[in-house]
């Protein structure tokens, strides 16, 4: 019997526990909050695809934008037609003036890609609100059906 109590019984090598080389891992980056246009693109997609009710955007729209969404949402212009749920592919924004962001997004529905553009305006309370939405090159207006 061995008098070395740090080594398991039957172990004959002289080395102790070997150090395992650290695994390569992705760098942990600090969590960056989404930019306002990315956040709104996800919300607009959820409403226009029928995944969320229109009132989910209440308080996040100004002007006629909420009325437009309320009339369009039942027709779900971004609704799934081929059995696959639409997803946001890309979203970019530009700031043409202080407190204004004009953004565009590409949305994939199976093998089809659609475009969505929207305008955000920052209020005196520093909150961003959606002021206009366009889908597939046509302005979404109350009473006009969205493109299919």
């Amino acid at each position: 019997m061995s008098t070395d109590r740090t080594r398991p019984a039957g172990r004959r090598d002289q080395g102790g526990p070997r150090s395992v080389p650290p695994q390569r891992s992705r760098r942990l980056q600090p969590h960056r909050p989404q930019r306002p246009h990315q956040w709104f693109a996800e919300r607009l997609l959820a409403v226009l695809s029928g995944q969320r009710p229109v009132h989910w955007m209440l308080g996040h729209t100004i002007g006629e934008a909420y009325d437009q969404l309320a009339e369009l949402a039942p027709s779900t212009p971004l609704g799934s037609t081929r059995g696959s749920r639409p997803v946001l592919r890309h979203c970019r924004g530009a700031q043409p003036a202080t407190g204004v962001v004009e953004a565009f997004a590409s949305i994939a529905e199976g093998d089809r890609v659609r475009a969505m553009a929207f305008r955000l305006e920052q209020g005196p309370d520093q909150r961003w609100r959606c002021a206009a939405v366009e889908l597939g090159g046509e302005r979404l207006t109350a009473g006009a059906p969205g493109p299919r």
Side-chain angles (χ1 to χ4, degrees), residues 41-64:
E42 291 284 350
R43 290 183 83 89
L44 289 169
L45 174 60
V47 170
L48 294 173
S49 65
Q51 298 171 35
R52 291 287 186 164
V54 178
H55 69 265
W56 197 49
M57 290 296 291
L58 194 61
H60 298 291
T61 56
I62 57 174
E64 295 180 18

Side-chain angles (χ1 to χ4, degrees), residues 120-140:
L120 302 177
E121 295 179 4
Q122 193 172 30
D125 60 356
Q126 302 302 304
R127 292 182 56 201
W128 291 96
R129 291 179 179 85
C130 184
V133 179
E134 292 184 20
L135 185 62
E138 294 182 28
R139 184 168 181 84
L140 298 178

Side-chain angles (χ1 to χ4, degrees), residues 44-142:
L44 289 169
L45 174 60
V47 170
L48 294 173
S49 65
Q51 298 171 35
R52 291 287 186 164
V54 178
H55 69 265
W56 197 49
M57 290 296 291
L58 194 61
H60 298 291
T61 56
I62 57 174
E64 295 180 18
Y66 182 80
D67 295 334
Q68 292 171 355
L69 288 172
E71 286 201 29
L72 288 167
S75 67
T76 60
L78 292 177
S80 175
T81 57
R82 294 180 177 89
S84 61
R85 204 162 101 174
V87 294
L88 186 65
R89 289 180 55 193
H90 300 286
C91 184
R92 302 281 189 266
Q95 195 166 7
T98 303
V100 175
V101 172
E102 292 181 349
F104 65 92
S106 63
I107 298 159
E109 302 175 69
D111 60 349
R112 186 176 180 189
V113 177
R114 305 274 308 266
M116 177 174 65
F118 54 97
R119 179 183 175 97
L120 302 177
E121 295 179 4
Q122 193 172 30
D125 60 356
Q126 302 302 304
R127 292 182 56 201
W128 291 96
R129 291 179 179 85
C130 184
V133 179
E134 292 184 20
L135 185 62
E138 294 182 28
R139 184 168 181 84
L140 298 178
T141 58

Side-chain angles (χ1 to χ4, degrees), residues 6-22:
T6 61
R7 192 176 312 156
R11 185 169 175 178
R12 304 211 187 283
D13 64 338
Q14 297 299 318
R18 294 190 179 137
S19 64
V20 178

